[in-house]
């Protein structure tokens, strides 16, 4: 979700690279289609602005089939971040597999695990840098061995949602019809059917809404009762 964070003193507003796509939000929600010009350029610009990469220059690489294609190249200005990444990956593995780990439910450790889990999955589905995380850390920060990561116990639902978004992005990148409109229609239909079952067809509507038992349902009681219905 695009966002901006502003500290009260000293530091100017922080901009997220997804802010560049705010103008596409309305059409994306209305048409249920990802904007056609979405690309990774704002990500590289954000990394360069923060001093993580530098010395931007054009280069060439072998294209699929035959010939060459133009690519953008940067130098990694902060190689120490790779050591931090390796340390975080080790912490994530310990949360999952080390039975002597001090607190497997520690919030900070679980955040690191979730980050490494999502990043590894993104590289596994990458079209141009498949398994890039493992290959870079193996080459730059030996010894390193890629392992199987899972989302933290407290973030299983969030992990499932993220994997769904990644899978959808992978299908879009592969020019596979993601059928967003059809999925949205099916989801809306299931919500309406559940609402009808639990509200309109329920024989306990008045009991559930009339909180004070007065025999009359006030607007506040109706809103509060409606919010308690499990529609999802």
């Amino acid at each position: 979700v695009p966002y901006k964070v502003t500290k009260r003193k000293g530091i100017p507003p922080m901009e997220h690279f997804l802010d560049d796509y705010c103008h596409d939000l309305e059409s994306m929600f209305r048409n249920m289609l990802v904007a056609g010009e979405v690309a990774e350029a704002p990500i590289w610009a954000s990394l360069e602005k923060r001093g993580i990469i530098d010395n931007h220059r054009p280069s060439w690489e072998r294209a699929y089939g035959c010939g060459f294609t133009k690519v953008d190249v940067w130098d990694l200005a902060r190689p120490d971040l790779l050591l931090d990444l390796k340390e975080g990956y080790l912490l994530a593995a310990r949360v999952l597999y080390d039975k002597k780990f001090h607190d497997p439910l520690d919030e900070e450790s679980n955040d690191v695990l979730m980050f490494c889990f999502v990043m590894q999955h993104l590289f596994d589905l990458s079209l141009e840098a498949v398994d890039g995380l493992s290959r870079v850390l193996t080459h730059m920060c030996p010894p390193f061995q890629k392992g199987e990561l899972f989302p933290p116990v407290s973030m299983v639902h969030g992990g499932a949602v993220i994997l769904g978004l990644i899978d959808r992005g992978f299908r879009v990148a592969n020019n596979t019809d993601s059928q967003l409109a059809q999925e949205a229609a099916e989801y809306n239909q299931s919500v309406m059917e559940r609402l009808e079952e639990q509200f309109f067809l329920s024989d306990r509507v008045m009991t559930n809404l009339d909180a004070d038992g007065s025999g009359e349902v006030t607007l506040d009681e109706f809103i509060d009762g409606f919010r308690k219905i499990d529609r999802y």
Side-chain angles (χ1 to χ4, degrees):
V1 177
Y3 65 88
K4 288 188 177 182
V5 180
T6 304
K7 287 191 174 183
R8 294 183 178 179
K9 294 182 180 180
I11 299 179
M14 298 172 60
E15 295 187 356
H16 195 276
F17 65 87
L18 289 178
D19 288 343
D20 292 346
Y21 302 121
C22 284
H23 61 279
D24 292 313
L25 291 179
E26 183 177 350
S27 64
M28 289 170 66
F29 277 99
R30 183 176 63 250
N31 303 323
M32 298 305 294
L33 294 173
V34 178
E37 68 272 17
V38 171
E40 75 272 11
I43 301 177
W44 297 110
S46 175
L47 292 173
E48 190 171 19
K49 185 177 181 181
R50 288 183 287 159
I52 297 176
I53 57 177
D54 198 5
N55 192 24
H56 177 219
R57 59 196 184 277
S59 185
W60 300 88
E61 70 173 4
R62 188 174 298 277
Y64 296 106
C66 60
F68 294 86
T69 183
K70 183 180 178 180
V71 294
D72 293 302
V73 177
W74 288 265
D75 292 332
L76 180 60
R78 292 282 309 279
D80 57 295
L81 293 178
L82 296 178
L83 295 175
D84 294 339
L85 181 57
K86 178 182 177 180
E87 183 178 349
Y89 195 94
L90 176 60
L91 176 62
R94 291 188 60 204
V95 172
L96 290 174
Y97 299 108
D98 188 354
K99 296 181 179 180
K100 297 182 179 180
F101 191 74
H102 64 282
D103 184 8
L105 299 179
D106 175 66
E107 182 177 358
E108 184 175 350
S109 301
N110 277 243
D111 287 342
V112 173
L113 169 57
M114 191 65 171
F115 174 81
C116 292
F117 164 72
V118 171
M119 181 169 54
Q120 178 165 286
H121 192 74
L122 285 168
F123 274 106
D124 287 344
L125 295 182
S126 172
L127 298 176
E128 299 177 346
V130 60
D131 205 24
L133 173 64
S134 175
R135 291 190 286 120
V136 168
L137 291 183
T138 300
H139 177 73
M140 300 293 293
C141 308
F144 177 82
Q145 178 64 48
K146 177 183 176 181
E148 188 172 8
L149 299 180
F150 304 95
V153 175
S154 59
M155 304 180 185
V156 171
H157 177 71
V161 173
I162 292 173
L163 290 186
L165 294 173
I166 295 174
D167 178 68
R168 177 167 294 165
F170 178 76
R171 299 195 322 250
V172 171
N174 277 283
N175 296 319
T176 304
D177 185 12
S178 59
Q179 300 178 342
L180 294 181
Q182 180 179 346
E183 293 176 17
E186 292 175 352
Y187 177 74
N188 182 67
Q189 182 180 357
S190 67
V191 171
M192 292 304 296
E193 289 176 352
R194 192 173 184 85
L195 175 62
E196 182 179 5
E197 176 185 350
Q198 297 201 12
F199 184 75
F200 296 106
L201 300 182
S202 174
D203 56 359
R204 295 178 54 82
V205 173
M206 285 299 299
T207 303
N208 295 334
L209 295 181
D210 188 13
D212 58 6
S214 64
E216 296 181 354
V217 178
T218 65
L219 178 60
D220 290 338
E221 287 178 329
F222 178 83
I223 295 176
D224 185 56
F226 193 81
R227 286 174 176 172
K228 293 179 180 178
I229 297 175
D230 182 12
R231 306 181 300 280
Y232 307 103

